[in-house]
Amino acid sequence: MTRERILVAGATGRVGSDLVARLCARGLGVRALVRGDAGALDPRAERVVGDLRCQVDIQRAVEGCTHVAFVAGVNAIDGRGTSREVECEAVAAMAKACRQPDFARFVLLSSAGVTQREHPHNCTFGSVLAWKRLGEETLRASGVPYVIVRALGLRDRPAGEAGVRLVQGDRIAFGEDIARGDVAAFLADVLVPRSADGFPCSVTRGSVANTSFEIFNDASLAGGTWEYAPCVLAPDPQGQP
């Protein structure tokens, strides 16, 4: 029996359900936080019914878990809740609940552009990126080991058609995008690396601790591979995104 137990928040979303299936396929212990009907969620996953807006539900879901993947968004809970409640306050509440012995890693799926105050998504989607940025900041300040993965332009095309490029600085240009399946595969490896080095590329397990970075598909890379040119991701400066 594996020691790891991974809680997936947002498990019924398109990225979340794929992530649950990938983790279950590795034989890992997976707990899915769901609001009710889990639909086609992988039957090997343990289901915990709860609401991300309820601290008691969050505490119960996190109890006994060694890892958390927070991939929830407003759409992932069927439009109920606001960006503030889901992308910010729920992240803060879950990070607080993760302050327990043997907790290993909190992986947050965020969005590229969160540091750009004038980004169009802040004008057209209820300041969603501003709330995501505040969610990131609460996670950094929590003291919990974390990785923040910022994706841009999620697409429903098949996974594995191109590799995944990692960059830092939140300067991805419009036009870059990534398949949801590639995001799920990448998050699975960030949560529990498949090899001693962490990833089938130049990024090592140790180098992702307490970092924030952006990901997108790069057709120059082979499908299923991840690449960050400098080889070592820079950790977040204390108190900065």
Side-chain angles (χ1 to χ4, degrees):
M1 181 177 293
T2 182
R3 185 186 69 85
E4 292 89 357
R5 179 165 294 279
I6 303 165
L7 173 67
V8 179
T12 57
R14 283 173 287 182
V15 172
S17 59
D18 192 348
L19 175 60
V20 167
R22 291 174 186 274
L23 294 171
C24 287
R26 293 192 192 180
L28 298 167
V30 181
R31 178 180 294 169
L33 178 58
V34 300
R35 288 187 59 93
D37 182 13
L41 195 65
D42 194 299
R44 292 170 291 186
E46 174 192 359
R47 292 162 174 76
V48 175
V49 177
D51 192 321
L52 282 171
R53 297 167 293 181
C54 176
Q55 177 67 55
V56 174
D57 288 351
I58 287 175
Q59 187 68 47
R60 178 168 51 86
V62 169
E63 186 176 359
C65 289
T66 57
H67 299 68
V68 162
F70 194 103
V71 297
V74 172
N75 290 337
I77 59 170
D78 300 324
R80 288 174 284 187
T82 64
S83 293
R84 176 176 180 172
E85 290 173 325
V86 178
E87 269 95 9
C88 180
E89 294 174 351
V91 172
M94 191 160 287
K96 180 180 179 181
C98 290
R99 295 174 185 158
Q100 56 187 21
D102 300 322
F103 186 79
R105 179 165 292 176
F106 189 123
V107 177
L108 173 64
L109 178 61
S110 186
S111 297
V114 294
T115 65
Q116 302 168 21
R117 296 183 185 277
E118 303 304 318
H119 195 287
H121 286 181
N122 279 326
C123 301
T124 57
F125 295 105
S127 299
V128 60
L129 294 182
W131 290 118
K132 283 178 178 288
R133 178 173 180 171
L134 286 174
E136 290 186 5
E137 291 173 356
T138 63
L139 177 56
R140 294 188 188 97
S142 70
V144 170
Y146 70 87
V147 180
I148 296 172
V149 180
R150 297 165 171 166
L152 176 68
L154 297 176
R155 299 289 183 261
D156 287 328
R157 62 174 176 264
E161 293 183 342
V164 175
R165 176 74 65 185
L166 286 68
V167 296
Q168 287 185 296
D170 198 20
R171 296 186 296 271
I172 296 181
F174 280 103
E176 305 291 0
D177 57 27
I178 187 166
R180 285 184 168 86
D182 286 328
V183 174
F186 183 82
L187 294 177
D189 278 339
V190 172
L191 283 159
V192 183
R194 290 178 291 177
S195 66
D197 291 335
F199 300 95
C201 72
S202 59
V203 180
T204 66
R205 179 172 185 169
S207 70
V208 299
N210 298 338
T211 59
S212 304
F213 52 88
E214 297 75 54
I215 60 173
F216 60 93
N217 280 137
D218 185 338
S220 71
L221 302 176
T225 63
W226 335 124
E227 180 71 27
Y228 182 67
C231 299
V232 178
L233 289 165
D236 292 337
Q238 189 172 3
Q240 298 182 30

